[in-house]
């Protein structure tokens, strides 16, 4: 008979212990004063706030965690402070926000719900 198909999927997850840092907030990366995403979790509309220690260009890209697909990208230059607004229409899940400059790369996660 028709309709007796079954699909089974598995995924392996690795759970690691959180790292402890001196002081408050996330570990500071040399060259970055602020790298914040808000609101987080988000409905797809969120802002990325960046303050660098010196004037340099910055590229912000948003990737799906399970894929390497770039959902959005903004390139900015001429300042040490940037604010980028994103309005994504994507499936609910965890996404990666990548900040790239000529001197360093830093990553944050954002949760996007329905």
């Amino acid at each position: 008979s028709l309709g007796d198909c079954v699909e089974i999927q598995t995924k392996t997850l690795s759970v690691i212990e959180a790292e402890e840092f001196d002081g408050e907030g996330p570990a500071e990366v040399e060259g970055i004063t602020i790298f914040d995403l808000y609101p987080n979790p988000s409905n797809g509309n969120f802002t990325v706030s960046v303050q660098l220690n010196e004037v340099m260009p910055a590229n912000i890209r948003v990737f799906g965690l399970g894929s390497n697909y770039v959902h959005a990208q903004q390139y900015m230059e001429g300042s040490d402070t940037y604010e980028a607004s994103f309005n994504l229409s994507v499936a609910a899940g965890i996404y990666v926000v990548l900040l790239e400059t000529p001197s360093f790369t830093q990553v944050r996660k954002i949760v996007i719900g329905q």
Side-chain angles (χ1 to χ4, degrees):
S1 72
L2 297 175
D4 293 333
C5 296
V6 175
E7 181 179 349
I8 298 174
Q9 295 182 354
T10 61
K11 186 166 188 172
T12 303
L13 299 176
S14 297
V15 179
I16 60 173
E17 294 292 323
E19 293 185 29
E20 303 262 342
F21 298 103
D22 293 333
E24 296 181 16
E28 182 177 318
V29 171
E30 188 173 328
I32 301 175
T33 305
I34 296 171
F35 180 23
D36 287 334
L37 315 175
Y38 55 89
N40 191 8
S42 165
N43 63 3
N45 298 320
F46 62 94
T47 301
V48 178
S49 224
V50 176
Q51 184 174 352
L52 308 172
N53 290 344
E54 62 184 90
V55 173
M56 68 177 77
N59 190 37
I60 299 172
R61 293 190 283 170
V62 181
F63 293 87
L65 188 60
S67 70
N68 287 329
Y69 182 77
V70 179
H71 293 280
Q73 178 172 329
Q74 289 192 33
Y75 178 81
M76 301 158 289
E77 62 184 351
S79 181
D80 62 351
T81 304
Y82 300 107
E83 193 166 287
S85 295
F86 291 89
N87 182 4
L88 304 180
S89 295
V90 294
I94 299 173
Y95 292 82
V96 175
V97 178
L98 177 67
L99 169 64
E100 299 170 301
T101 74
S103 302
F104 52 81
T105 300
Q106 184 69 13
V107 173
R108 296 280 190 272
K109 290 185 287 186
I110 187 160
V111 177
I112 296 181
Q114 293 289 335

